[in-house]
Amino acid sequence: MTTLTESHFFQRQRSNILYIGLIFFLVLSIPYDPNLFKDTSFGDLLSLENWFALATYRSSFIPESPLVGPDVRGYYNWAIALGLALLLFLIFGRKLKQAFRVDDETVFYWLRVLLRYRLALAIICIGLVKIIPIQLPEPTISELHTEYGDLLLWKLYYLTNGIATAGYLPVIGALEILGGLFLLNRRTAVIGSGLLIAVLLNVVIVNYVYEIGEQVYSSFLLLLAIVIFSYDWPRFYKLLIRKTATIPDGFWPVYGPKIAAVRPYLQALFLLLIAVFSVQAYLSWKNSNYPFPEEKGLDDAAGVYNVKDFVWKGDTLAYSLTDSIRWKDVVFEKWNTISIRGNRPVKVDSLRPRIAFNRERNYEYLGNGGREFFGYSQKKGTEKQQTTIKLRGKVNRDHTFSFVLRRTDKRTLLLDGVNQRGDSLHVRLEKINKKYLLHEGRRKPIRIY
């Protein structure tokens, strides 16, 4: 009787590959990211931004670009981690094997434990901010009055999905949470990893196509799911493709007394972290204006205004499609933001739309090249004093205005003041009674299922 043994490279080097893989993922699991420690405010430990940043951290020996686009420098960190893993294994590999004295199945089990909880923590938090509309909120008035071609690709994708009524975004979020919860149990980990491979493959493609800027991190999460799924892939291959008899997984982990005693508490702590983030995300959405500024704007002023009169340095400028000074229209948001559309070039803020470190609440003007955004402070007047507002550009901080504001009626605002150069301005704004079909809805709603 002849016994056939597999002698290909991966079979012969399986033990070494597992140890190198374990070191590789341990290196990539070190929370080293200059931005993480630079921008995380430990004085506000329970903030949504801090929780999300810690749950979705990445190792960045080489800092990734903070801008949207097809930047792939983050993959260099994978190469650095692999180089470190190979170097450490060459130096300490034999000592590691002698110290642990475990078989390959045990090494692969603990590698999967690391990846399961690493992936579950990140993907559940990512799914929660999709179900709770934090990551992709509905369009603002300014965005509804921005021409299509003036928005960056990622903003178009966010706005399109933010108004979707077929439940696309909540379904994706629910699948991510479901996959993450399946990862928490060894018996269902293969189901969770397979589900997440299908979801994350779509996420990676979307990041590249719409230049969202998170293609490296989404690829890392996809890699984790693939490695977890790879343990059961031979059995799936034999059962579904070769259609032959398949022996189920017979490995059963054996824990030492210390690990067996601590393990339930660690699992409870993990679930507690997920619960705390869920509550924090819900409260941030319910009780605040996240991701938009908190400070309220002028009373009963929200809406879009036509610029009826525009007097600059005493000279009345007629409406023009080419004049770089005159304004076309002005939007007052419900919060203290004003956006102005004109003919002058607008500097586009191309920062990535990240929840982490978003304390400036900058989502509203990111990716918008058609309007200039201003934050403003107001000093309400009395019977003898007039109301004043001071505008400061959110992208171009040097662009400022100081106005005295008067209201002749509910629809008309008069602004008299100067810009940062001291040029005098008189602007008469007339509110447009605008109804948006997006809010009005269809007379006969379309049913797609």
Side-chain angles (χ1 to χ4, degrees):
M1 181 177 179
T2 303
T3 302
L4 298 178
T5 58
E6 297 185 55
S7 61
H8 56 76
F9 175 80
F10 290 103
Q11 185 67 23
R12 288 184 286 110
Q13 300 295 331
R14 186 172 187 242
S15 178
N16 295 340
I17 292 173
L18 287 174
Y19 274 97
I20 293 172
L22 179 61
I23 299 172
F24 170 75
F25 285 109
L26 281 173
V27 172
L28 285 181
S29 296
I30 298 172
Y32 176 74
D33 183 353
N35 292 325
L36 179 65
F37 299 103
K38 178 181 178 182
D39 296 328
T40 300
S41 172
F42 292 98
D44 191 16
L45 187 60
L46 295 180
S47 70
L48 172 68
E49 296 90 347
N50 278 357
W51 281 101
F52 193 81
L54 294 172
T56 60
Y57 72 87
R58 65 202 74 192
S59 295
S60 297
F61 304 103
I62 297 177
E64 297 182 31
S65 171
L67 306 178
V68 297
D71 186 84
V72 294
R73 281 180 290 176
Y75 290 116
Y76 297 159
N77 294 304
W78 296 19
I80 293 174
L82 181 58
L84 287 174
L86 291 171
L87 180 62
L88 292 173
F89 181 77
L90 288 175
I91 298 174
F92 303 106
R94 183 174 297 179
K95 293 182 179 179
L96 284 174
K97 290 183 178 181
Q98 292 175 351
F100 291 112
R101 295 180 182 179
V102 293
D103 55 28
D104 293 349
E105 295 294 335
T106 303
V107 176
F108 201 3
Y109 168 74
W110 286 110
L111 173 59
R112 296 199 312 278
V113 170
L114 169 68
L115 302 188
R116 279 166 44 205
Y117 283 88
R118 175 78 171 85
L119 177 57
L121 178 63
I123 205 67
I124 291 175
C125 291
I126 292 172
L128 283 169
V129 298
K130 288 186 174 69
I131 288 184
I132 303 171
I134 293 176
Q135 185 179 15
L136 278 71
E138 293 187 358
T140 62
I141 303 175
S142 296
E143 289 165 340
L144 292 174
H145 288 274
T146 301
E147 295 183 359
Y148 192 83
D150 288 330
L151 297 169
L152 295 185
L153 287 174
W154 75 263
K155 199 61 174 281
L156 292 175
Y157 176 79
Y158 271 43
L159 294 177
T160 301
N161 286 284
I163 63 174
T165 57
Y168 169 76
L169 200 62
V171 168
I172 295 297
L175 290 176
E176 290 174 338
I177 294 173
L178 183 63
L181 292 176
F182 277 142
L183 291 175
L184 301 182
N185 190 294
R186 184 175 66 90
R187 298 178 181 86
T188 57
V190 64
I191 301 175
S193 59
L195 177 61
L196 291 177
I197 287 174
V199 174
L200 289 169
L201 184 60
N202 173 66
V203 173
V204 173
I205 293 173
V206 165
N207 271 274
Y208 275 107
V209 171
Y210 290 96
E211 300 181 351
I212 299 174
E214 294 291 344
Q215 56 271 2
V216 176
Y217 186 68
S218 58
S219 299
F220 176 66
L221 298 182
L222 177 61
L223 177 64
L224 300 185
I226 291 174
V227 174
I228 297 170
F229 186 81
S230 67
Y231 178 71
D232 289 285
W233 167 245
R235 283 176 282 277
F236 274 94
Y237 180 77
K238 289 181 181 179
L239 179 65
L240 301 178
I241 298 178
R242 296 183 61 181
K243 298 181 180 180
T244 58
T246 305
I247 301 176
D249 179 23
F251 175 78
W252 193 264
V254 178
Y255 306 108
K258 293 183 179 179
I259 296 178
V262 175
R263 183 168 169 265
Y265 296 101
L266 293 178
Q267 292 174 331
L269 177 61
F270 185 88
L271 293 175
L272 179 62
L273 291 175
I274 296 298
V276 170
F277 180 82
S278 303
V279 173
Q280 182 66 25
Y282 176 77
L283 293 177
S284 296
W285 170 71
K286 190 70 175 178
N287 300 331
S288 74
N289 200 34
Y290 193 89
F292 305 114
E294 283 290 338
E295 189 174 343
K296 293 184 178 180
L298 289 169
D299 296 335
D300 299 323
V304 58
Y305 292 78
N306 186 27
V307 181
K308 299 294 289 185
D309 296 329
F310 190 90
V311 182
W312 177 66
K313 297 172 63 173
D315 185 14
T316 300
L317 303 181
Y319 185 87
S320 172
L321 295 176
T322 58
D323 194 316
S324 61
I325 297 176
R326 196 187 195 281
W327 303 347
K328 291 182 178 179
D329 61 62
V330 177
V331 167
F332 282 76
E333 300 288 357
K334 295 179 181 179
W335 49 92
N336 64 327
T337 293
I338 293 174
S339 68
I340 299 172
R341 184 166 70 103
N343 293 312
R344 57 180 289 163
V346 175
K347 180 181 178 181
V348 183
D349 194 324
S350 299
L351 286 174
R352 282 187 284 178
R354 299 181 64 182
I355 291 177
F357 324 132
N358 193 20
R359 294 176 181 82
E360 293 184 2
R361 306 292 179 96
N362 58 0
Y363 175 83
E364 60 179 338
Y365 59 85
L366 293 180
N368 192 317
R371 308 188 70 86
E372 191 167 5
F373 286 79
F374 296 85
Y376 66 89
S377 58
Q378 56 175 310
K379 183 177 180 182
K380 294 185 178 180
T382 60
E383 294 181 358
K384 297 181 179 180
Q385 296 179 340
Q386 296 175 313
T387 299
T388 60
I389 59 172
K390 293 183 179 181
L391 281 62
R392 178 176 292 276
K394 293 197 171 187
V395 180
N396 183 3
R397 305 287 292 179
D398 295 329
H399 197 188
T400 62
F401 294 98
S402 295
F403 289 117
V404 173
L405 183 144
R406 291 177 294 146
R407 284 181 165 176
T408 57
D409 54 53
K410 292 183 178 180
R411 296 182 55 212
T412 305
L413 294 177
L414 297 179
L415 303 176
D416 289 283
V418 295
N419 60 14
Q420 72 278 6
R421 293 188 298 267
D423 300 333
S424 63
L425 282 172
H426 169 77
V427 184
R428 182 164 69 97
L429 304 176
E430 191 172 283
K431 191 173 185 178
I432 302 173
N433 186 21
K434 179 72 174 177
K435 291 185 178 180
Y436 302 94
L437 296 180
L438 177 65
H439 301 151
E440 295 291 321
R442 294 178 179 270
R443 286 174 294 181
K444 295 182 179 180
I446 296 177
R447 297 182 62 89
I448 62 174
Y449 51 80

